[in-house]
Amino acid sequence: MAEAPPEIEKIWDLLNQYIEKHKKIVKIIIGRLTQPGENYGSEIMKVDMVLKDENSGDEEELYLVAKMIPESDLYKEIFNVQVSFVSEMRFYDTVVPILEDFRKRKGAKVKDIYPKFYGGRKNLNIQGGAVDTNAVLLMDNIKIKGYENLDRHKGFDLKGAKVVLEAIAYFHVTPLALKLQEPGTFEEKIKPHLACFLPGRTPEKEQAIKERYRSFCHRSMSFVSECEECIPALPLVEKCIGKWEPMRRNNFREPFSTILHTDVWVNNIMVKNCQSDIDIKLVDFQFCTYDSPVEDLMFFLITSVPLDVLKNHLDELLQSYHKYFIQELENLKCSTDQFGYGKLLVEIKECLHNTVFRCLWFIPTVVLGEKGTKSDVTKIVPSQAAKEKIWWMVQEFYRRGWLD
């Protein structure tokens, strides 16, 4: 029997705040949008509605997505919903409008890479309070418009990967340009809504999270050592595990640091094929923070691009991202002197330990894990495909000197 979707209390009251006054909701149907195992950090519901225009009597359909906090207490803790939920809500209702206004003032094109946001709440108390089980974000259901996720076991081909890289560069450079040209605005109106500047876990909980994730990675090390070519790199991989922090809160790398998505991979990228073109939207901004953009870049490439494409086109993909990055800086009338390709490669080397750490457990357990169920991330049983991708990552990063 299918698992019943969680209820959304007083959804009528919430929706009526964002619908034109002369329209009334006459029907709502709520169901699950995603299958179990496809989302760990949230519950995703579809909300299909019928609205009636009281002036004309006409009816129209509206299709939304409701994003709620995880039902599991374990995942509420892992995803730190008191921070991540608020950060995502503020990204949509505050950060995006500021960034789009900045682009317009600079005469630069505003790209439609985010789903339309209809509003949200932390709880049922309009005066504030903590995030609870009544927290919900409402967004346009872009699946109805033809957007879908690719198969996470396959990922993006070369052409699709370049389209994503162009969107990621746009996402990174817009706040970076704002920071460079209007630092006061960035400090006062953007930074306070990024996860690393919000109150975090207690030191004890932070340490427990570190130990839990490091234990995942050490289990992964057992199969990394099965590959003889990886053995020389093992001490450096261990060093990466030791250097990992859940979230940088100081010592940010300038001038590259900007808004970071932190979770750019197949399941957080919606794709629509339009004849010969590919249109994408980025979703799931619950961990938006401030850090180096190469963390998004490298995590996307390793998790979401097939191994054969990486083997043959890694440099081409890195150069494509850099090209888009520079183009966006120029569109926003920023100097590009500090952002040469060589400096991007240095940035990759300096920040790569986080990518290595996350991919060691995320690829075997989530990306290439079993479909249709939420696998136990404490019990890694890697597929052959997961092993081969991790083996290649370790060897390639070692060969390039990125693990030193």
Side-chain angles (χ1 to χ4, degrees):
M1 182 179 296
E3 184 180 352
E7 293 185 6
I8 305 177
E9 296 288 341
K10 297 186 177 180
I11 187 172
W12 295 70
D13 295 343
L14 177 61
L15 289 168
N16 277 322
Q17 297 178 51
Y18 304 103
I19 295 171
E20 296 160 282
K21 298 301 181 183
H22 63 279
K23 294 181 180 179
K24 296 297 181 182
I25 303 167
V26 297
K27 185 179 181 181
I28 297 181
I29 300 175
I30 300 173
R32 291 191 181 274
L33 184 68
T34 57
Q35 296 297 316
E38 297 304 309
N39 289 90
Y40 284 81
S42 57
E43 302 295 335
I44 308 294
M45 304 293 114
K46 60 180 180 179
V47 181
D48 301 341
M49 294 185 294
V50 175
L51 307 180
K52 185 173 183 177
D53 188 316
E54 293 190 319
N55 296 329
S56 66
D58 294 338
E59 293 188 348
E60 64 178 287
E61 295 175 334
L62 181 63
Y63 301 98
L64 302 182
V65 166
K67 184 172 184 178
M68 306 169 70
I69 64 174
E71 294 179 285
S72 159
D73 289 338
L74 171 62
Y75 288 110
K76 288 175 187 174
E77 173 64 24
I78 288 176
F79 287 89
N80 195 13
V81 296
Q82 296 301 325
V83 170
S84 61
F85 185 89
V86 174
S87 182
E88 181 164 26
M89 184 162 62
R90 294 297 168 244
F91 176 79
Y92 283 115
D93 70 12
T94 302
V95 173
V96 169
I98 290 172
L99 296 179
E100 291 184 347
D101 176 71
F102 171 67
R103 290 190 70 90
K104 291 174 183 176
R105 288 189 284 108
K106 289 295 176 180
K109 180 180 178 181
V110 175
K111 297 182 179 180
D112 187 19
I113 64 168
Y114 314 115
K116 181 179 179 180
F117 182 66
Y118 280 81
R121 69 187 184 205
K122 294 192 296 181
N123 50 51
L124 296 178
N125 180 3
I126 61 173
Q127 300 301 321
V131 172
D132 64 20
T133 55
N134 291 302
V136 62
L137 302 178
L138 295 173
M139 290 161 281
D140 192 15
N141 184 352
I142 56 177
K143 281 195 170 186
I144 298 296
K145 298 177 179 178
Y147 291 87
E148 59 185 1
N149 291 113
L150 298 187
D151 185 336
R152 59 186 164 92
H153 285 185
K154 296 179 180 179
F156 290 87
D157 62 14
L158 181 62
K159 178 182 177 181
K162 288 183 178 181
V163 174
V164 176
L165 291 175
E166 185 173 8
I168 294 174
Y170 172 95
F171 167 72
H172 288 152
V173 173
T174 304
L176 174 60
L178 178 66
K179 178 189 75 173
L180 295 173
Q181 296 189 7
E182 300 179 13
T185 300
F186 190 84
E187 289 287 331
E188 296 170 14
K189 297 184 178 181
I190 301 294
K191 271 192 173 181
H193 305 303
L194 303 180
C196 60
F197 301 110
L198 292 170
R201 299 181 176 93
T202 64
E204 293 77 16
K205 288 186 177 180
E206 191 79 358
Q207 186 60 34
I209 289 290
K210 288 181 186 179
E211 291 175 359
R212 179 184 292 128
Y213 278 90
R214 284 175 178 157
S215 71
F216 297 165
C217 285
H218 282 112
R219 291 190 188 95
S220 295
M221 291 293 288
S222 64
F223 76 77
V224 173
S225 62
E226 293 175 15
C227 174
E228 185 175 346
E229 290 80 4
C230 290
I231 291 176
L234 291 182
L236 296 176
V237 175
E238 287 280 6
K239 187 177 178 181
C240 288
I241 294 175
K243 288 173 66 177
W244 174 77
E245 294 286 340
M247 185 177 296
R248 193 196 304 265
R249 294 186 177 274
N250 50 43
N251 299 319
F252 300 107
R253 293 187 56 80
E254 300 296 352
F256 273 93
S257 285
T258 184
I259 295 182
L260 191 70
H261 184 288
T262 72
D263 204 21
V264 182
W265 72 291
V266 171
N267 276 24
N268 290 332
I269 304 165
M270 304 290 287
V271 180
K272 181 179 181 180
N273 291 309
C274 309
Q275 297 179 349
S276 60
D277 295 328
I278 302 171
D279 187 24
I280 73 144
K281 291 193 186 293
L282 303 178
V283 299
D284 200 4
F285 293 89
Q286 60 189 18
F287 288 117
C288 271
T289 188
Y290 183 73
D291 214 327
S292 175
V294 301
E295 294 197 22
D296 278 347
L297 168 64
M298 297 307 294
F299 188 69
F300 164 70
L301 291 176
I302 303 304
T303 61
S304 306
V305 177
L307 183 54
D308 63 326
V309 177
L310 289 173
K311 285 180 176 179
N312 295 310
H313 300 284
L314 179 57
D315 286 308
E316 181 181 348
L317 290 166
L318 294 175
Q319 290 163 5
S320 292
Y321 171 80
H322 183 256
K323 178 186 73 174
Y324 299 135
F325 193 96
I326 295 300
Q327 286 175 352
E328 284 299 335
L329 284 172
E330 292 172 343
N331 290 340
L332 293 165
K333 301 176 174 58
C334 286
S335 169
T336 62
D337 294 346
Q338 302 179 83
F339 302 99
Y341 186 64
K343 293 182 178 179
L344 178 70
L345 294 180
V346 171
E347 195 75 5
I348 290 173
K349 180 177 179 178
E350 292 298 320
C351 300
L352 203 65
H353 60 279
N354 273 357
T355 300
V356 172
F357 177 91
R358 294 181 66 205
C359 287
L360 278 172
W361 73 266
F362 195 76
I363 288 176
T365 309
V366 181
V367 180
L368 296 175
E370 183 181 356
K371 294 180 181 179
T373 182
K374 286 188 177 181
S375 56
D376 185 347
V377 295
T378 66
K379 299 176 181 179
I380 295 177
V381 182
S383 65
Q384 186 63 27
K387 288 183 178 182
E388 290 176 0
K389 196 163 208 184
I390 295 294
W391 291 339
W392 174 84
M393 178 187 75
V394 171
Q395 292 175 68
E396 184 67 16
F397 289 1
Y398 181 72
R399 182 184 71 81
R400 290 174 180 258
W402 288 348
L403 298 178
D404 296 344

